[in-house]
Amino acid sequence: MSDIQAWIDNEVKSNEIVLFMKGTPTFPQCGFSGQVVQILDYLDVPYKGVNVLENDDLRQGIKDYSNWPTIPQLYVKGEFVGGCDIIREMFQNQELQELLGSSKTVA
Amino acid sequence: MPMDAREIETLIRESLPDAKVVIRDLAGDGDHFAAEVVSESFRGKSRVQQHQLVYEALKGNMGGALHALALQTSVPD
């Protein structure tokens, strides 16, 4: 396992909820990353944001790690949950709330 | 080189011959599309796996020539 894969693996396994994104939760730098940040903030769950723009190896490494070609990528309890489309779909049908243990319903 | 809706549909059909594919061009810039794909090959697969099948069908264009593809996958009723 390369260094970057090991680093990613550690981030995924040592944080309950981690979002690999473009930018940071306070300053998302891509519409899709921003949408997932909005959903997570609305659900009021603690999560770690990892800015893949800071390191090209990371930006490519995360795509190899999950065999998923785009950013953002959400991981919960060490499992890849999905990108923006899947997170939005799960949020709309309450699946995400159940997974994250949030009591917030869709407005 | 941006892609057009027909190219995306053709690529998906090559890997998923039974698929019903609806592509909408969201921005008219060849870069932002929405696609609904219905195929028997999704049955029993998680959403992530279903989307990965579509991404594999797009042969590496996803995230490259194709910047954004809002994807919805489902199995036939």
Side-chain angles (χ1 to χ4, degrees):
Chain A
M1 191 186 257
S2 71
D3 303 344
I4 196 68
Q5 294 296 318
W7 186 85
I8 292 170
D9 198 47
N10 176 57
E11 284 298 315
V12 165
K13 299 219 161 96
S14 52
N15 293 285
E16 171 121 356
I17 305 172
V18 55
L19 177 65
F20 291 83
M21 62 177 292
K22 288 179 183 173
T24 62
T26 33
F27 294 107
Q29 289 172 265
C30 153
F32 300 110
S33 293
Q35 279 178 43
V36 177
V37 162
Q38 264 179 349
I39 290 172
L40 293 176
D41 289 348
Y42 172 79
L43 293 180
D44 206 14
V45 289
Y47 65 97
K48 176 169 185 180
V50 176
N51 183 2
V52 302
L53 296 179
E54 282 171 1
N55 170 337
D56 281 346
D57 291 344
L58 170 58
R59 184 172 183 172
Q60 183 52 46
I62 190 66
K63 295 176 184 176
D64 302 335
Y65 181 79
S66 56
N67 183 28
W68 189 262
T70 56
I71 304 291
Q73 296 184 19
L74 184 68
Y75 293 77
V76 176
K77 302 183 181 97
E79 291 285 320
F80 175 53
V81 177
C84 186
D85 297 339
I86 289 177
I87 297 305
R88 214 179 31 234
E89 208 175 315
M90 291 177 71
F91 171 66
Q92 278 150 5
N93 57 32
Q94 292 287 115
E95 261 180 81
L96 191 62
Q97 287 82 329
E98 271 152 43
L99 179 66
L100 302 181
S102 164
S103 56
K104 293 265 181 156
T105 53
V106 183
Chain B
M1 220 289 287
M3 299 182 73
D4 69 31
R6 241 183 7 280
E7 267 175 293
I8 298 170
E9 194 171 331
T10 312
L11 279 174
I12 294 175
R13 280 198 199 295
E14 273 164 20
S15 300
L16 305 168
D18 75 315
K20 251 187 36 235
V21 184
V22 174
I23 310 269
R24 277 180 296 118
D25 186 338
L26 296 178
D29 57 3
D31 227 3
H32 294 75
F33 291 93
E36 283 146 43
V37 186
V38 183
S39 167
E40 194 50 45
S41 38
F42 294 150
R43 197 174 294 281
K45 290 197 169 56
S46 72
R47 266 195 209 90
V48 167
Q49 289 164 332
Q50 291 178 22
H51 286 214
Q52 281 171 326
L53 276 178
V54 177
Y55 289 148
E56 270 146 36
L58 294 172
K59 295 188 175 52
N61 283 299
M62 191 58 229
L66 191 48
H67 174 66
L69 179 68
L71 195 50
Q72 260 193 317
T73 53
S74 56
V75 290
D77 302 331

